[in-house]
Each structure stands twice: as structure tokens, then as C-alpha cells.
Amino acid sequence: MTFIRKLWREPLVHFLLIGAALFVFYDQTREQGSEAPNRIVMSSGQVEQIAANFKRTWMRPPTETELSALIENYVREEVFYREALAMGLDQSDPVVRQRMRSKLEFILEDLSSAEVADEVLLAYFKGHPDKFRTQPRVSFQQVYLSPDTRTDLAGEAEVLLARLNGGAAPESLGDPTLVPYAFTLASQTEIERTLGERFGRGVVELVPGDDWVGPVFSAYGGHLVKVSERVDARLPDMSEIRELVEREYLVERRNEIKDLAYAKLREGYDVTIEEAT
């Protein structure tokens, strides 16, 4: 029994079972569609579903006339759909092709949504620590120096730093900018989104203190910066972020399952790619 439980938790077993289920489903639907291409069967369950959808929309059950019209509309849609397929109208339409591909991939994703054991998630978490490590966060103020209005930006930065560290109000110095004057525990990504990668990398490495430093350069110019607080990057305990770990694991597993299914289906095709003339 212990061996069976262990075997059931193996992702490869899940892949194989899902693949088998998919191919059985494919064979059955293909056979059903090829037995009677001109026969349309509408089950009582489908009729009940149509009536239920109408009731949800209009807050009342459909009349007999309305239900008959809905049923006939379904038949009409099915007739046109089959005739369009018979004429090959789906084969030259990239939108239809993409939609059908998306529906098949959705089936594969739905089949791969089984509950994941904690030990599987823990192994995934330990194997991908960089996915879950938090970014450093800093609180800081900045005074902007525009390279368009300052001919000696480095020299003027030294003068302004002396004034700032001497107690001058930062709001009274620097050049106008739409960049916020202060950031509160902003992550490196959030900072980079506003001021660029170069500035984000530089500012998160600064040590908090009472002094203004700089200039730290961004995509816009130079900035005099005072960091008041810093929270270092860390790897949380898995219990803190279990939902995130499970979500990331399932995304990766679904992609693996889709690749596996595609590789298996691809084996059934003889593909010839002609060279361009």
C-alpha cells in the first residue's frame, strides 16, 4: 500500500494517466463523429441545459415556443458547423485554428489540475529557490538633477550634497520631474519600472543612513538619494507561500503535459517542409 501511495505521487504517473485519458477521449469522440456525420442527436440533458441557461438569464423558465426556438437554433448551428467543416472552411482560417488549438490545450490543462502532495511541492520549492526569493525593498527620497539643464552635473551634485547634508530642505533643490519624491519600501522591480534597471540595481545596494549620497543615475539623469530603510531579500518558508508554490508548480506541470501530449500526437504525422524557392 505504501508503494502504491508513493507511486501515485510521482508526476510521471500523472502524465501517463492524463495522456491515456486524453487519447481515449480523442478516439471515442472521433469514432462517434465518424459513425453518423449526418445524424444530430440532442439529448434530454442538453435540452435541460438550454432551458437552465435561459432561466438564469431571464429569471423564468422558457415557454414551449421559446424552448422550441432555442432547440432549433442549436440544430441550425450544428448543421452549419458540420457543413463548414465538410467544406474545409476551418483549415484556412488562422483564428479558427488558434481557437481549436486553445481548446485542446485547455482540456490538457484541466486534466492536469489534480491535487498536489506536500512533499512534491516541497521538492519543487527546494529545487527552484530563485522563483520564490523575495526582492530587496527600500524606502528613500530622491532629488533629481537634469542633464539637459546642468552643464557640470557631477560638480553641481557635490555642491547640492553638501547643502542637503547640512540640513537644506530637499524639496527646494533639484530640477522638476514627474518621478515621485519619496518611495516607501518599494521593491527593486517597482523602482526599475519607474526609474530604470540601472537606478534600481544601484539604489537597493545603498546602506540606510542619515546622509544623502549620489548621484545615482537613471534613464532620466542623476539623482541624489537618501535611503532611510532597507528590507533584505529572503527565501520565505514554504508554509508562508504554499499557494504560490502550488500555482507555479501547476503552471510548469501543465506546460510539460502539453509538450508531452504534443510529442505523442506529433509521432502520428508525417511532416514535410518544402524549402522556399
Side-chain angles (χ1 to χ4, degrees):
M1 185 63 71
T2 304
F3 172 75
I4 293 174
R5 272 200 216 98
K6 186 177 180 182
L7 187 64
W8 176 247
R9 288 170 183 157
E10 287 294 325
L12 181 59
V13 174
H14 295 168
F15 296 159
L16 294 174
L17 290 175
I18 289 167
L22 176 66
F23 296 129
V24 168
F25 171 79
Y26 173 73
D27 288 339
Q28 287 180 345
T29 53
R30 181 177 60 181
E31 289 169 3
Q32 289 169 2
S34 61
E35 283 175 1
N38 297 324
R39 184 167 179 254
I40 297 174
V41 177
M42 192 171 188
S43 68
S44 58
Q46 289 174 300
V47 174
E48 289 173 1
Q49 185 63 50
I50 287 175
N53 290 341
F54 182 96
K55 186 176 181 179
R56 267 196 305 271
T57 303
W58 300 102
M59 305 302 292
R60 63 173 179 83
T63 65
E64 288 188 13
T65 301
E66 288 170 333
L67 185 57
S68 296
L70 291 169
I71 292 171
E72 187 57 37
N73 185 64
Y74 172 87
V75 174
R76 180 188 182 93
E77 183 179 272
E78 186 67 19
V79 168
F80 280 135
Y81 171 70
R82 294 191 187 187
E83 290 300 317
L85 288 180
M87 295 169 66
L89 299 182
D90 60 311
Q91 297 177 13
S92 57
D93 190 328
V95 176
V96 173
R97 288 166 61 90
Q98 181 59 46
R99 188 167 180 80
M100 293 179 74
R101 169 185 170 174
S102 298
K103 289 186 74 172
L104 180 55
E105 289 183 340
F106 178 78
I107 291 172
L108 288 168
E109 289 181 5
D110 190 53
L111 288 170
S112 67
S113 299
E115 186 177 346
V116 187
D118 285 343
E119 50 264 44
V120 173
L121 289 182
L122 184 59
Y124 180 76
F125 174 70
K126 290 181 176 179
H128 303 79
D130 290 340
K131 273 181 175 281
F132 307 108
R133 197 182 309 278
T134 64
Q135 293 185 346
R137 292 179 174 271
V138 293
S139 296
F140 65 94
Q141 298 169 292
Q142 65 86 25
V143 171
Y144 173 61
L145 305 180
S146 172
D148 297 328
T149 59
R150 297 179 183 272
T151 54
D152 181 16
L153 193 148
E156 293 184 56
E158 287 187 17
V159 173
L160 291 177
L161 279 174
R163 292 180 62 186
L164 286 166
N165 289 321
E171 296 90 341
S172 64
L173 303 176
D175 300 315
T177 176
L178 295 177
V179 175
Y181 163 71
F183 290 74
T184 303
L185 287 181
S187 70
Q188 184 172 342
T189 297
E190 291 167 344
I191 297 168
E192 290 178 355
R193 195 178 298 132
T194 303
L195 287 161
E197 186 177 341
R198 180 184 180 188
F199 182 90
R201 285 200 314 266
V203 78
V204 297
E205 293 175 358
L206 296 176
V207 178
D210 296 329
D211 292 337
W212 287 81
V213 298
V216 180
F217 288 93
S218 73
Y220 306 109
H223 302 260
L224 306 179
V225 179
K226 180 181 178 181
V227 176
S228 58
E229 184 179 4
R230 172 190 164 95
V231 176
D232 291 334
R234 72 183 185 93
L235 182 63
D237 187 81
M238 202 195 82
S239 60
E240 301 176 49
I241 54 169
R242 188 190 187 283
E243 289 185 7
L244 174 61
V245 175
E246 184 174 23
R247 186 163 63 246
E248 290 293 323
Y249 171 79
L250 286 174
V251 167
E252 190 168 308
R253 191 175 76 166
R254 285 166 185 160
N255 288 334
E256 289 174 356
I257 288 173
K258 284 191 286 189
D259 289 344
L260 242 137
Y262 168 70
K264 186 64 179 175
L265 293 169
R266 182 71 165 71
E267 291 174 3
Y269 289 83
D270 179 18
V271 179
T272 300
I273 300 175
E274 296 179 349
E275 294 184 6
T277 57

